Amino acid sequence: MTAFVLVSGPFTGGEVWREVAARLEESGAEVYPATLTGLGERREAGGPDTGLETHIEDVVRLIDGVEATELVIVGHDYGIHPVLGAADRRPERIARIVYLDAGLPQDGDAAVQLVPDEEVRRRLLDPADRDGGTGWIDPPAADGWQRWGSTAGLSEEALARLTGLASPQPSATFTQPLRLSGALAAVPTSGIFCTESGMSIAKLEGLMTLGMPQFKALADPRVSFFDLDTGHWPMLSRPDELAELLLGAAAGEGHRLAAAPAQELPGYLRPFVLDVPEQTRERIGRVDLYLPADPDGAGAAGANPAGATDTAAAPRPAVLFVHGGPVPETVRPTPRDWTTYVGYGRYAASQGVIGATLDHRLHSLADYPLAAADVAEAVELLRADPRVDGDRIALWFFSGGGPLSADWLSAPPSWLRCLAVTYPILAPLPGWQGVDSRFRPVDALAGAGRLPVVLTRVGLEVTEIAATVEEFVAAAEARDTDLQVIDVPHGHHGFDTVDPTDESRAAVEQAVHSVLGHL
């Protein structure tokens, strides 16, 4: 017999699963909707010490009380954290884990990283504020649920029921990190996308084409996916359909993602499109400097773009290349050793300026503030170097590093002569609820003034990314931004390594010379 343990998202308990549970039971399954400590009718059982660990223990006790041999454990939203923590301790009992409109937390991640309500997330992350000192986070009012996820599909009655069932959540359940041993590696999983939340199987397959290592595990044949055309609370908006999908997941059904050929290098490790000469590279902490080979700068076209005196002592302009992401911390080689950034750094140095790359700490969607601090630190290191003309700097952002450009667009310093973005993400993508609104270059354009911006866009871009670029271009035109657009009509995301064509080579050369022209 199949049994389901159902763990819902924040502020809610087992009662929210009532209709789904009834339909699963009608199919002959056993169902165990969880109400975790401090929530619902167990509110009084919670206290200041109630954290994620408490909720993991709650789910472990549920698992231990189930006799059925086929146990499927379902985590919705926040609920995936205690589900994974409990399954990690009882992996031999679990037939399948179902991620229901949930993130993919890893060892060390805290649920606060994906809290979509920006105000609540800031309070939880600020030690001086935290939760206002109460130890609890209040649920939203009826008109505030959309700040926690799409309310599409919820009738007025269902929304009122959700609000009536909700209770405050112990704040430590959001801030305690999840600890995983790796015992879940062999447990089959399924993901159910609530498409009105912004993600779907088709969109995931589009993102898979980027070749990022964090997507690789999703092509495992033990992983399946389903779409459900509704908002973030499908147990209330589409209970019949959700129950059917859960039964399908238990039976091993669902869509499988195609894996890339095993022998194929990921795009970011393929050869750079330009045959650039090696340059002296100097490593300083997280930053690599590529130094022009010719000490007097006279050996390359455009070597002295701003007319500096050609002497060995003359400081050079510099370009800082900022990689995308998120990139898991364990990925090797790290981005500054990827052929893309080595190529751009060498090419900049071959043109007589100092090229710089860095490894910033954008390892998850919650890390944009940390990565922004790393970029700012790299800029200060670069400007303080006596070989660099600190008043002639360009910043160049790629892919998922695009949101990091917002800080510099919103208030460009006088020494920033140009800002470039290449196949960039310029607004949070669907499902990126945990990204602070600070990192929206589209909005930051309001403060850009006459800062020159060089945008390289590709014609075969992932649809969701292309939409952010179109929005950015429209905003730039409306604000009369000094924007130069370089198009690569037949280029894919990462064209500078994945599309070794004359079109790609010409686009890289044009972009580099445009940026250097502003220095």
Side-chain angles (χ1 to χ4, degrees):
M1 176 180 289
T2 300
F4 292 87
V5 170
L6 309 175
V7 185
S8 59
F11 313 118
T12 55
E15 177 60 22
V16 77
W17 298 100
R18 185 176 63 196
E19 289 81 6
V20 173
R23 285 153 182 79
L24 290 174
E25 288 172 345
E26 289 171 3
S27 74
E30 295 179 4
V31 187
Y32 299 87
T35 297
L36 304 175
T37 300
L39 298 172
E41 62 270 22
R42 299 192 64 202
R43 167 74 189 275
E44 298 305 318
D49 297 330
T50 301
L52 175 60
E53 181 63 27
T54 309
H55 285 177
I56 290 173
E57 292 172 357
D58 289 341
V59 180
V60 168
R61 280 192 292 273
L62 263 178
I63 292 172
D64 289 346
V66 176
E67 295 182 359
T69 55
E70 291 291 323
L71 178 55
V72 177
I73 187 166
V74 181
H76 167 248
D77 193 303
Y78 159 80
I80 198 63
H81 287 256
V83 157
L84 293 177
D88 184 73
R89 299 179 189 184
R90 299 290 189 272
E92 73 285 351
R93 293 294 326 280
I94 310 302
R96 184 169 293 270
I97 299 169
V98 178
Y99 295 72
L100 175 55
D101 220 29
L104 291 168
Q106 306 298 310
D107 178 55
D109 289 348
V112 64
Q113 295 171 344
L114 292 180
V115 166
D117 188 311
E118 190 171 314
E119 179 183 348
V120 172
R121 188 170 67 253
R122 285 176 175 164
R123 285 171 50 199
L124 286 165
L125 290 170
D126 183 357
D129 185 357
R130 193 65 77 192
D131 47 28
T134 66
W136 302 85
I137 294 296
D138 289 328
D143 61 354
W145 282 102
Q146 71 277 3
R147 296 172 65 182
W148 288 85
S150 169
T151 56
L154 288 178
S155 64
E156 290 186 11
E157 180 183 0
L159 187 59
R161 182 178 166 212
L162 176 61
T163 304
L165 291 174
S167 61
Q169 175 118 354
S171 58
T173 62
F174 292 112
T175 56
Q176 277 188 357
L178 175 65
R179 295 302 177 192
L180 300 174
S181 69
L184 296 178
V187 177
T189 62
S190 293
I192 298 177
F193 295 123
C194 295
T195 58
E196 292 294 334
S197 293
M199 185 53 74
S200 66
I201 294 171
K203 291 177 180 178
L204 176 61
E205 289 182 322
L207 294 174
M208 289 277 290
T209 65
L210 303 184
M212 295 304 294
Q214 61 263 48
F215 295 131
K216 184 177 180 181
L218 300 183
D220 189 303
R222 293 169 297 183
V223 181
S224 66
F225 294 94
F226 301 85
D227 281 343
L228 185 53
D229 186 17
T230 190
H232 187 56
W233 285 272
M235 65 286 289
L236 297 175
S237 61
R238 302 283 293 275
D240 289 348
E241 294 87 342
L242 176 57
E244 288 301 315
L245 293 188
L246 292 177
L247 290 168
E253 300 171 1
H255 181 84
R256 263 71 178 182
L257 301 177
Q263 72 277 11
E264 187 174 324
L265 276 175
Y268 55 87
L269 293 181
R270 297 177 199 171
F272 191 55
V273 292
L274 297 181
D275 184 14
V276 292
E278 288 200 26
Q279 304 288 334
T280 300
R281 177 164 70 163
E282 184 177 306
R283 179 155 290 186
I284 308 172
R286 291 194 187 93
V287 178
D288 283 1
L289 301 182
Y290 290 84
L291 306 172
D294 186 350
D296 65 11
N304 201 0
T309 303
D310 284 337
T311 68
R316 307 294 187 98
V319 183
L320 177 64
F321 299 98
V322 181
H323 70 79
V327 178
E329 190 171 4
T330 56
V331 167
R332 296 294 182 274
T334 59
R336 61 176 160 176
D337 285 327
W338 294 358
T339 53
T340 302
Y341 305 106
V342 171
Y344 277 99
R346 286 177 175 175
Y347 189 38
S350 76
Q351 300 302 296
V353 305
I354 294 175
T357 61
L358 81 155
D359 282 335
H360 58 70
R361 291 171 288 175
L362 182 60
H363 303 312
S364 73
L365 293 176
D367 290 335
Y368 273 101
L370 187 63
D374 291 341
V375 173
E377 180 182 326
V379 167
E380 290 307 307
L381 183 150
L382 194 59
R383 295 188 67 228
D385 193 299
R387 295 164 295 185
V388 173
D389 183 343
D391 289 326
R392 292 191 293 164
I393 304 292
L395 300 179
W396 197 324
F397 301 85
F398 293 77
S399 189
L404 297 170
S405 68
D407 285 348
W408 307 97
L409 286 167
S410 63
S414 59
W415 49 259
L416 181 60
R417 300 299 183 90
C418 180
L419 187 145
V421 287
T422 292
Y423 43 82
I425 296 171
L426 294 170
L429 296 177
W432 284 26
Q433 297 97 332
V435 178
D436 196 295
S437 61
R438 161 189 168 192
F439 299 105
R440 281 185 54 87
V442 169
D443 297 338
L445 277 173
R450 297 304 299 167
L451 174 69
V453 179
V454 177
L455 163 65
T456 304
R457 65 184 178 187
V458 293
L460 302 177
E461 182 60 276
V462 175
T463 303
E464 289 69 37
I465 297 177
T468 74
V469 174
E470 291 174 9
E471 185 181 1
F472 183 87
V473 171
E477 291 174 350
R479 297 184 181 281
D480 196 27
T481 302
D482 183 4
L483 175 67
Q484 177 185 3
V485 179
I486 298 170
D487 281 312
V488 192
H490 303 97
H492 297 81
H493 195 95
F495 76 95
D496 34 25
T497 57
V498 302
D499 297 317
T501 64
D502 288 342
E503 179 184 79
S504 295
R505 285 183 277 273
V508 171
E509 290 173 343
Q510 182 183 358
V512 170
H513 285 278
S514 293
V515 170
L516 267 55
H518 293 292
L519 293 176

